[in-house]
Amino acid sequence: MADKAAAKAAARAKFEGVFDTIADELLAYLKGEGMPADAIEWYKKNLYHNVPGGKLNRGLSVVDTLEILKGSALTDDEYFQAALLGWCIELGFFLVSDDLMDASITRRGQPCWYRMPGIGNIAINDSFMLEAAIYYLLKKHFRQQPYYVDLLELFLETTFQTELGQLIDLITAPEDDVDLSKFSLEKHHLIVVYKTAYYSFYLPVALAMRVHGIKDKAAYKAALDILLPMGEYFQVQDDYLDAYAPPEVLGKIGTDILDNKCSWNVNTALKHATPEQRQILDKYYGNKKDKEAEAEVKKIFSSDNVDIPGRFEKYEAESYDKLNKLIDQIDEDKTGLKKQVFTSFLEKVYKRQK
């Protein structure tokens, strides 16, 4: 166990080492364009506040996937390419704008960027600059590669898909206007697939597949058919843990109930609640003014007929079985894919506690 933790820490440290190189390249571009010193310093703070410091699962997944597909250790050049693409995912422009739209307070244990002194709505432009950095880096490092346009299309399409998921989320569950009649498991499905699954699960694998030289459309379809439901399972887990994982294990205090989140928990509860329970949910869900509100909602979640813990346990088992069957169907020789790409993903998320 200690060896595994040490290997994980070493892999993260190696990946983090690439970020300084990328940041230096971006700052050199600003200098080359004759930008004033205060603008360069601003962008540097933007980069270092918003990009490193998270779990880095998306970025590391590009490296891990390419290594699995190759079947051996990556060369230094191959590692840098994979890590660069990983950092393009991690550039975090969605998070900067999402925090502003949600009026969030903290991100990764520090104040959200827009709440830092002197930032405010300039964070909107800062998020655009983080996004633009992706395309500068892709052009600089992959312009001569035959798959360059494929990389561009992956980032552009996934960005649009993620923004669609964000739109549905924002208009379905605004914090200051609670209306549970807008909620449904169907809406939740759309939100999590478009807002999470494409960007966090499919994109890292598809990027590695392109670098590895996989061109077969059927291979990308097979990857998508596994990674979208895996991403949905991951988000349902996240929703469940927000309400049921102890804060000391989760690493934070869950706030989905208070924040009127369109979570799997509440949508499942709405589907199975009695009329009386529905009235309680309407009264207390998303209610930050009543100290007892969250406790009342959790009573409904854990009631015998709603039984969120029991229903989640069943959902998790069914999802695990479904995903393993999809993985087993992969024809490695025909597609160029490796089942290990997907089993390694599944091992990371199955029955996680935080």
Side-chain angles (χ1 to χ4, degrees):
M1 198 72 174
D3 290 345
K4 190 174 182 180
K8 186 176 180 180
R12 181 186 173 98
K14 184 178 180 181
F15 182 71
E16 288 176 325
V18 176
F19 179 72
D20 288 333
T21 301
I22 293 170
D24 288 346
E25 289 183 5
L26 293 170
L27 295 171
Y29 170 70
L30 266 66
K31 291 175 187 175
E33 293 295 308
M35 293 295 106
D38 55 351
I40 295 169
E41 183 61 24
W42 184 289
Y43 192 46
K44 183 177 181 179
K45 289 179 180 177
N46 177 13
L47 286 168
Y48 278 92
H49 184 96
N50 292 307
V51 184
K55 296 176 183 176
L56 305 181
N57 289 336
R58 301 176 188 89
L60 285 163
S61 294
V62 182
V63 176
D64 293 343
T65 300
L66 185 59
E67 193 164 59
I68 292 168
L69 290 173
K70 185 185 177 187
S72 61
L74 303 178
T75 65
D76 290 344
D77 287 344
E78 289 169 338
Y79 181 87
F80 180 79
Q81 283 190 328
L84 177 74
L85 290 172
W87 280 114
C88 283
I89 301 176
E90 294 287 347
L91 271 162
F93 66 97
F94 285 128
L95 305 182
V96 174
S97 56
D98 191 45
D99 287 342
L100 185 56
M101 286 182 273
D102 290 348
S104 298
I105 305 300
T106 60
R107 165 79 63 180
R108 298 169 178 167
Q110 61 183 349
C112 296
W113 177 241
Y114 79 95
R115 297 187 72 247
M116 294 295 288
I119 306 298
N121 285 339
I122 299 176
I124 298 170
N125 191 63
D126 290 336
S127 72
F128 294 160
M129 290 185 70
L130 291 175
E131 180 182 14
I134 295 170
Y135 300 100
Y136 171 79
L137 292 167
L138 291 179
K139 182 178 180 181
K140 180 176 181 181
H141 292 278
F142 296 96
R143 181 68 181 81
Q144 303 306 317
Q145 298 294 341
Y147 52 81
Y148 173 61
V149 173
D150 296 309
L151 299 182
L152 291 177
E153 288 183 346
L154 273 169
F155 274 102
L156 289 167
E157 289 172 3
T158 309
T159 296
F160 198 9
Q161 288 160 337
T162 307
E163 289 163 349
L164 288 171
Q166 174 74 340
L167 173 64
I168 301 168
D169 194 11
L170 289 169
I171 63 177
T172 300
E175 277 195 53
D176 57 352
D177 183 19
V178 181
D179 182 359
L180 298 186
S181 67
K182 293 181 179 180
F183 285 23
S184 67
L185 283 169
E186 291 72 25
K187 282 262 187 81
H188 179 266
H189 168 77
L190 283 172
I191 291 168
V192 302
V193 167
Y194 279 84
K195 190 175 176 180
T196 299
Y198 278 110
Y199 203 81
S200 298
F201 284 79
Y202 177 67
L203 180 60
V205 173
L207 290 171
M209 289 169 65
R210 286 298 179 191
V211 173
H212 189 61
I214 295 175
K215 298 177 181 178
D216 183 17
K217 289 183 179 179
Y220 290 89
K221 175 69 164 56
L224 197 66
D225 288 345
I226 294 169
L227 293 166
L228 291 192
M230 193 181 296
E232 182 171 11
Y233 161 56
F234 174 87
Q235 187 58 54
V236 170
Q237 269 185 323
D238 220 48
D239 292 352
Y240 177 77
L241 292 172
D242 185 90
Y244 286 96
E248 62 272 16
V249 175
L250 189 60
K252 63 178 181 179
I253 297 171
T255 61
D256 284 359
I257 293 171
L258 295 175
D259 291 342
N260 188 39
K261 294 296 184 183
C262 184
S263 75
W264 181 85
N265 297 334
V266 71
N267 281 296
T268 301
L270 289 169
K271 184 176 180 180
H272 299 284
T274 64
E276 293 78 14
Q277 289 174 323
R278 173 58 188 264
Q279 286 181 347
I280 294 172
L281 290 173
D282 283 329
K283 180 178 179 180
Y284 290 114
Y285 198 78
N287 185 341
K288 295 182 178 181
K289 296 177 182 178
D290 190 323
K291 291 184 178 179
E292 302 301 320
E294 187 177 36
E296 291 297 326
V297 171
K298 286 187 175 181
K299 284 180 186 176
I300 303 297
F301 283 0
S302 296
S303 62
D304 289 343
N305 59 304
V306 173
D307 188 19
I308 294 298
R311 294 183 192 280
F312 174 74
E313 185 178 354
K314 182 172 183 287
Y315 169 85
E316 184 166 55
E318 289 174 349
S319 296
Y320 186 70
D321 183 56
K322 173 187 174 182
L323 289 166
N324 275 311
K325 286 178 179 176
L326 288 169
I327 293 168
D328 285 342
Q329 291 171 11
I330 291 174
D331 187 331
E332 294 188 342
D333 294 331
K334 184 178 179 181
T335 62
L337 286 172
K338 299 280 183 68
K339 293 178 182 180
Q340 188 187 348
V341 168
F342 307 99
T343 55
S344 65
F345 255 96
L346 191 53
E347 286 168 8
K348 291 175 187 175
V349 300
Y350 181 58
K351 286 193 177 293
R352 68 189 176 97
Q353 298 298 310
K354 59 181 180 180

